[in-house]
Amino acid sequence: MNTTPGEPAAAPQASAPPLLNIANVLTVLRLILVPVFIWLMLQPGDGMRLAATIVFVVAAITDKLDGQLARSRGLITSFGKIADPIADKALTLSAFILLSVAGRLWWWVTIIIVVRELGITVMRFVMLRRAVMAASRGGKLKTTLQMTGIIGLLLPWTMFLPGGLANVLVALAYAAIGAALVVTVVTGVDYVLQARRIARGEETA
């Protein structure tokens, strides 16, 4: 080691995580499952609808796991930062659109959610040049409500339950979608205000 006497040795640089890691594999798997989910949803019959719901749930689980694994094992990569939100939005927004196509969700609800999700995602990517925008306080709640409502509307409840109970569960799913819509809009406004503060701070710096 070539160091001057009395000079502390340089600390070894931490190696970057490999591109091929379990977190990125789960993200890619979610991207692959999205067209499978779409194809199943476009097929007739409750059996296909149930299969589509199962695929959606599996994909949603990978969304939860890849983030946890990336953070806990130090596997955060540039690819993951870009691909993960793309896979997340592709899954949830395709579900909202297909539910509206099937007549199970009002189009105005889907349009508001799609515009908000795509708009905020693009805005966060643009703002990366200035600062990293912290996750919105209601982000986790928004995701939980959206997933609950989507799964509740996707599932063919009458395959397993009597009509009365199935109707109650569908009504609860609509309530979750309503709550998700409110939180989605509120968190969207929060992101816009955050971006405005960042931009003003840079202008006055």
Side-chain angles (χ1 to χ4, degrees):
M1 181 180 297
N2 298 324
T3 58
T4 304
E7 180 181 330
Q13 293 183 346
S15 59
L19 179 62
L20 183 60
N21 62 61
I22 183 61
N24 286 346
V25 168
L26 289 173
T27 299
V28 172
L29 174 61
R30 187 159 72 261
L31 282 168
I32 293 171
L33 288 177
V34 170
V36 176
F37 164 71
I38 293 172
W39 182 83
L40 289 170
M41 277 293 292
L42 294 175
Q43 306 308 305
D46 285 347
M48 287 296 189
R49 186 172 154 193
L50 176 60
T53 306
I54 293 171
V55 170
F56 181 88
V57 171
V58 171
I61 291 172
T62 67
D63 182 31
K64 180 80 172 175
L65 284 178
D66 63 6
Q68 289 180 341
L69 289 170
R71 289 187 295 270
S72 64
R73 299 188 181 185
L75 300 176
I76 298 175
T77 63
S78 297
F79 171 81
K81 290 178 182 178
I82 296 173
D84 181 69
I86 291 174
D88 177 30
K89 302 311 177 192
L91 179 67
T92 55
L93 298 187
S94 63
F96 278 115
I97 291 170
L98 288 168
L99 284 170
S100 291
V101 168
R104 291 196 286 274
L105 186 61
W106 305 283
W107 271 108
W108 66 268
V109 172
T110 295
I111 291 170
I112 290 175
I113 291 176
V114 168
V115 170
R116 183 276 187 200
E117 296 288 4
L118 293 180
I120 296 301
T121 299
V122 171
M123 186 183 72
R124 291 185 74 181
F125 277 128
V126 171
M127 292 300 294
L128 280 175
R129 294 179 298 176
R130 300 182 178 184
V132 176
M133 295 181 65
S136 177
R137 290 182 292 272
K140 290 183 179 179
L141 176 60
K142 179 208 71 172
T143 300
T144 300
L145 289 170
Q146 285 186 357
M147 292 297 182
T148 300
I150 288 171
I151 293 171
L153 294 181
L154 286 176
L155 271 170
W157 294 106
T158 52
M159 287 184 67
F160 321 102
L161 302 170
L165 184 54
N167 290 337
V168 170
L169 292 173
V170 170
L172 290 174
Y174 279 118
I177 292 291
L181 179 63
V182 173
V183 177
T184 298
V185 172
V186 170
T187 54
V189 172
D190 187 42
Y191 275 124
V192 171
L193 293 176
Q194 187 181 155
R196 188 179 178 183
R197 286 193 297 269
I198 292 172
R200 282 185 170 180
E202 189 172 85
E203 289 173 0
T204 57

